[in-house]
Amino acid sequence: MGFSVGIVGLPNVGKSTLFNALTQSAKAQAENYPFCTIDPNVGVVEVPDKRLRDIARIEGSRKITPTFIEFVDIAGLVRGASRGEGLGNQFLHHIREVDAIAMVLRCFESPDVVHVEGDVNPLRDADIIDIELIAKDLESVNKRLEKVEKTAKGGDKKAKDELSYLKSIKAILENLEPLRRHRDELSEEAWNYATKELFLLTTKPVMYIANIGEEDLPDGEGNPHIEKVMERTEKENAPVVVVCAQIESQMAGLSDEDRRELLEAYGLEEPGLNKVIREGYRLLNLITFFTAGQKETRAWTVVKGTKAPQAAGKIHSDMERGFIAAEVISYEDLVRAGSMTKAKEMGLVRLEGREYEIRDGDVVFFRFNV
């Protein structure tokens, strides 16, 4: 897959219920007690994209292949997880392996679902998770510092640079702040060291999922917990998606017609899960380009800024190696023209070279020679 989002949260916030709905899978146990999900469950989820079917219709494609993103259901964290409380060390290891974090926060009241902390307070829950991740990062930084300080005293230039990075990273963590909030305060070298050498947990981008009760649908307006979560995300410039995991779980098993009726009943334009998937996709700085023809229309995932030869390599390594040029048209221009033939007549298809950066929504035909 290559791109994964870890779903994290305290026990009984609706995390595994959300995962079940996302993957339409019964693998994750959504039970009313902590530690029911020990090993991470993995689900590969289609990224909803209306453009794919529009392009396929225009091209008369016999097959449609979407792009996907991977979600990992990570067992519930608890206070003290960084010290091994609950199954903390396993959970934190699993978080290290994902590219981004979706933090599920409980914003619903229910006497039937116990909260591990005793009451509903999403900001406290978010702080608990952050503090556990910070504590684990500090542990990693301090271990590395012990080794590097000895080498740096001997005059080793690389060790001196490393020591400088570690001290700037440690200063942020000791203030109980996740590194992701202080990206601009670290040099490019220090940030790369934190992400690519130490793989620190608090460098990972975070999105928040506010899980509400069905009485607060469609958007949680008037729910005081949602208002507090929104305030937090504005300060952090992080995306937040409001969903009712219980209703999403019900929708996952319905026919298209029944799902539409349920959406209408709750005043929803689309399943909240679609927003979760799209935000996860954007959080990882991903874009979609398309290849199209009578045989197949297919969506492909690349990181924003990917150049045409490397995008061709996503399809096949031979195409990258033998890249000549790319015929490119935007989705909007193709829809406006109504066909690829007409688009060429209108001069809407461009010929781009090796330095062209693929844009979201590009429909591309790669010329190559092996």
Side-chain angles (χ1 to χ4, degrees), residues 239-305:
V240 57
V241 181
V242 178
V243 301
C244 175
Q246 199 62 47
I247 295 299
E248 298 292 333
S249 183
Q250 290 177 29
M251 275 195 281
L254 297 178
S255 65
D256 289 344
E257 184 178 346
D258 288 342
R259 188 180 295 116
R260 279 193 298 271
E261 288 182 6
L262 193 59
L263 286 170
E264 288 175 9
Y266 285 105
L268 297 165
E269 294 182 4
E270 64 175 342
L273 296 182
N274 288 10
K275 298 176 187 177
V276 172
I277 295 164
R278 285 198 298 265
E279 285 298 341
Y281 197 74
R282 279 196 284 266
L283 190 65
L284 291 169
N285 203 26
L286 305 178
I287 61 171
T288 300
F289 75 92
F290 305 93
T291 53
Q294 289 189 342
K295 182 179 178 182
E296 180 185 34
T297 289
R298 182 163 183 166
W300 302 88
T301 297
V302 292
V303 175
K304 188 176 181 180

Side-chain angles (χ1 to χ4, degrees), residues 12 22 31 38 61 63 75 85 103 110 128 139 158 167 187 228 231 261 279 286 329:
N12 301 336
L22 271 169
E31 301 294 341
I38 298 172
S61 303
K63 183 181 178 183
E85 292 294 326
M103 195 182 294
S110 173
I128 288 172
E139 181 184 308
K158 184 180 177 183
K167 286 181 176 179
S187 67
K228 291 176 183 176
E231 287 175 11
E261 288 182 6
E279 285 298 341
L286 305 178
I329 182 172

Side-chain angles (χ1 to χ4, degrees), residues 88-161:
N89 287 327
Q90 289 184 49
F91 304 164
L92 293 165
H93 172 71
H94 294 146
I95 292 171
R96 198 179 300 282
E97 295 178 341
V98 299
D99 300 303
I101 295 170
M103 195 182 294
V104 182
L105 301 176
R106 177 172 166 176
C107 296
F108 67 90
E109 303 281 351
S110 173
D112 300 322
V113 183
V114 298
H115 193 293
V116 71
E117 287 289 320
D119 64 340
V120 175
N121 184 334
L123 298 191
R124 177 206 55 213
D125 294 355
D127 286 339
I128 288 172
I129 293 170
D130 270 340
I131 286 170
E132 295 308 321
L133 300 184
I134 289 166
K136 200 65 179 177
D137 280 354
L138 267 173
E139 181 184 308
S140 300
V141 168
N142 285 329
K143 281 182 181 178
R144 188 67 185 167
L145 263 171
E146 288 178 15
K147 296 179 181 179
V148 172
E149 282 176 335
K150 295 176 183 177
T151 311
K153 284 178 181 177
D156 184 276
K157 173 67 169 60
K158 184 180 177 183
K160 285 183 176 180
D161 289 341

Side-chain angles (χ1 to χ4, degrees), residues 4-73:
S4 60
V5 177
I7 304 178
V8 304
L10 270 61
N12 301 336
V13 299
K15 178 180 59 62
S16 293
T17 301
L18 182 78
F19 175 82
N20 287 342
L22 271 169
T23 59
Q24 298 189 29
S25 159
K27 288 192 299 180
Q29 302 172 60
E31 301 294 341
N32 183 22
Y33 55 90
F35 316 131
C36 62
T37 313
I38 298 172
D39 295 318
N41 293 268
V42 179
V44 178
V45 180
E46 177 183 332
V47 178
D49 197 327
K50 175 182 175 293
R51 298 173 299 181
L52 187 63
R53 297 194 180 280
D54 290 343
I55 296 167
R57 175 179 48 78
I58 291 169
E59 288 295 297
S61 303
R62 294 188 294 273
K63 183 181 178 183
I64 297 175
T65 305
T67 190
F68 297 89
I69 189 167
E70 186 177 272
F71 282 89
V72 183
D73 179 34

Side-chain angles (χ1 to χ4, degrees), residues 308-327:
Q310 287 70 51
K314 293 286 291 184
I315 302 171
H316 199 286
S317 57
D318 286 348
M319 295 176 71
E320 180 177 358
R321 190 164 55 249
F323 178 87
I324 298 172
E327 293 181 19

Side-chain angles (χ1 to χ4, degrees), residues 223-243:
N223 182 320
H225 299 308
I226 294 293
E227 293 171 5
K228 291 176 183 176
V229 170
M230 292 296 187
E231 287 175 11
R232 180 191 181 101
T233 58
E234 283 177 15
K235 292 177 183 176
E236 198 169 311
N237 195 25
V240 57
V241 181
V242 178
V243 301

